[in-house]
Amino acid sequence: MHLVLATEAQKAERDRVTHAAWGSPLTVEQFHQRELRLRAHPWCTAGMNTWLLREDDGSVLASCETFHNDSHLRGPDGQYAPGDSFSIASVFTEDHLRRHGHATRLMDLVATELERASPRGHAAVLFSDVGASLYRRSGYEEVPAWDWDLPAREAASTRPGASLLKDGDVAEALGRFRRPDAPFYLWPSPAQVDWHLERERIYAELLGRPRPEACGAVVGESTALWAMMARHGELVVLMLEARSDEDAATLLETAGAVAHRAGLAKVVVWEQPDTAPRVARVPGATRVPRDGSLPMVRPLRPGLPPAPAIPFPRALWV
Ligand SMILES: CC(C)(COP(=O)(O)OP(=O)(O)OC[C@H]1O[C@@H](n2cnc3c(N)ncnc32)[C@H](O)[C@@H]1OP(=O)(O)O)[C@@H](O)C(=O)NCCC(=O)NCCS
């Protein structure tokens, strides 16, 4: 049993089997086209790998993907050291091969390989849809995860308007965000944010529905970036920085109005310690336990803080 990087042909084969988990409502061929297009996106060509756990006879037992993120670890002198972290996604074992420890073995081997190959390695992270126990076995620790849901509706208030952001505004908008005051954090690049928008573009095309008119908004010094999750009827806030309660309400009401006009039912904001008190005061915001996408972290070197001290904005999700 050994770990290898998949060839293009092997990636295409995995698209066809993993469709069972993530393909609906796309056909197998549409899902393969989605995957090809995402793999061709600049964020992926720069730092995505597909890993296979193979039996000695060459058959594939399990697979996953890793994506590169820049990360920053505060040292004893208070200065941040830049490093590399890796987000793991699409962990998959075919039905008839499950419960033999293949996914666990894959996760162990991938982490060992990331440790070996990354002199600046900080952490491996993932967003579990199957709870914590599987990944705890491989050294991952979870971060408690809550969402704030807001209804999509026409803005009712007369707040001074926010300006809407287009795809081409993402890099500048991301540059407006203050970095977190945390002992360790991962930070999304403009390309990673655009990868979320590429997913939005793909689903809009394949499902024949309009894209939202904007991918974010600014008001004063405050900024929000978001993307449509067409399959779930949601507008998900990727990044949010609100410098006042008024700004939080303006940005999220704008998101709600954009979602409404795009035919979406709600806006979802991942709870972050810095913005939670402001989001909680936005009229109509409801706190719910997150369903899936549980952030988990496995250090690749000593000195990382416990997982709950690490911020995970939705933009980091893979
Ligand atoms: C999750 C998955 C990768 C596990 O693969 P596997 O090779 O069977 O994993 P292992 O044998 O190493 O570990 C099995 C453990 O996975 C956990 N697990 C698997 N599916 C689970 C689910 N739907 N919910 C909660 N835990 C689950 C259980 O803890 C199980 O332990 P148990 O056998 O003691 O009950 C496989 O079930 C799969 O491909 N599922 C569909 C895709 C998916 O959901 N991937 C995970 C995305 S985060």
Side-chain angles (χ1 to χ4, degrees):
M1 208 180 283
H2 54 285
L3 182 72
V4 293
L5 283 170
T7 63
E8 291 310 311
Q10 287 166 333
K11 289 176 197 172
E13 276 172 33
R14 291 314 279 175
D15 294 345
R16 291 177 197 289
V17 292
T18 59
H19 173 271
W22 296 294
S24 174
L26 307 181
T27 64
V28 173
E29 182 53 28
Q30 283 176 324
F31 181 67
H32 172 55
Q33 292 304 322
R34 180 197 98 155
E35 292 296 287
L36 279 178
R37 200 163 144 186
L38 287 173
R39 287 196 288 268
H41 186 274
W43 187 56
C44 297
T45 54
M48 177 193 174
N49 284 310
T50 303
W51 301 90
L52 305 177
L53 178 69
R54 290 216 303 184
E55 192 55 283
D56 294 336
D57 65 6
S59 59
V60 177
L61 300 172
S63 57
C64 70
E65 298 163 351
T66 54
F67 300 77
H68 173 264
N69 284 105
D70 291 327
S71 53
H72 304 270
L73 178 61
R74 191 156 60 198
D77 58 359
Q79 300 297 308
Y80 282 97
D84 301 307
S85 291
F86 300 89
S87 303
I88 300 183
S90 308
V91 181
F92 187 84
T93 303
E94 280 177 86
D95 246 340
H96 65 281
L97 294 167
R98 286 181 189 167
R99 307 190 91 131
H100 291 89
H102 297 324
T104 303
R105 182 104 177 105
L106 173 71
M107 296 303 288
D108 291 344
L109 289 175
V110 166
T112 303
E113 177 57 21
L114 294 174
E115 273 171 355
R116 190 195 65 73
S118 324
R120 301 194 324 163
H122 279 160
V125 308
L126 57 84
F127 300 88
S128 177
D129 288 331
V130 292
S133 67
L134 168 63
Y135 300 114
R136 275 197 202 125
R137 291 178 201 169
S138 298
Y140 287 80
E141 184 193 0
E142 69 271 24
V143 181
W146 294 83
D147 288 345
W148 287 88
D149 287 356
L150 297 104
R153 60 182 176 212
E154 270 311 325
S157 73
T158 55
R159 294 173 201 280
S163 332
L164 296 179
L165 298 171
K166 303 288 182 197
D167 293 6
D169 301 325
V170 164
E172 197 188 328
L174 200 53
R176 292 164 52 92
F177 283 83
R178 286 181 295 204
R179 300 297 180 102
D181 179 19
F184 173 70
Y185 66 91
L186 289 76
W187 195 246
S189 62
Q192 182 170 11
V193 172
D194 189 73
W195 174 83
H196 290 280
L197 298 176
E198 180 72 353
R199 298 173 71 91
E200 177 183 295
R201 291 178 205 113
I202 293 169
Y203 277 98
E205 282 171 33
L206 292 176
L207 302 181
R209 60 176 299 157
R211 291 185 63 204
E213 74 226 61
C215 64
V218 300
V219 59
E221 298 294 302
S222 303
T223 312
L225 287 165
W226 58 66
M228 172 172 72
M229 292 288 283
R231 282 178 303 159
H232 304 294
E234 296 170 358
L235 193 74
V236 292
V237 173
L238 301 173
M239 302 280 288
L240 175 66
E241 181 176 84
R243 307 269 179 116
S244 67
D245 286 0
E246 183 74 12
D247 285 0
T250 301
L251 290 173
L252 293 177
E253 283 177 9
T254 303
V258 167
H260 178 72
R261 290 196 287 271
L264 303 169
K266 64 177 177 178
V267 175
V268 179
V269 186
W270 279 20
E271 181 172 288
Q272 296 290 293
D274 53 345
T275 51
R278 297 201 190 290
V279 175
R281 290 192 282 269
V282 174
T286 315
R287 190 176 192 243
V288 292
R290 186 170 314 147
D291 180 19
S293 297
L294 180 69
M296 299 188 75
V297 184
R298 181 198 189 281
L300 296 176
R301 50 156 289 158
L304 260 73
I310 304 171
F312 279 99
R314 175 63 170 69
L316 293 172
W317 175 91
V318 289

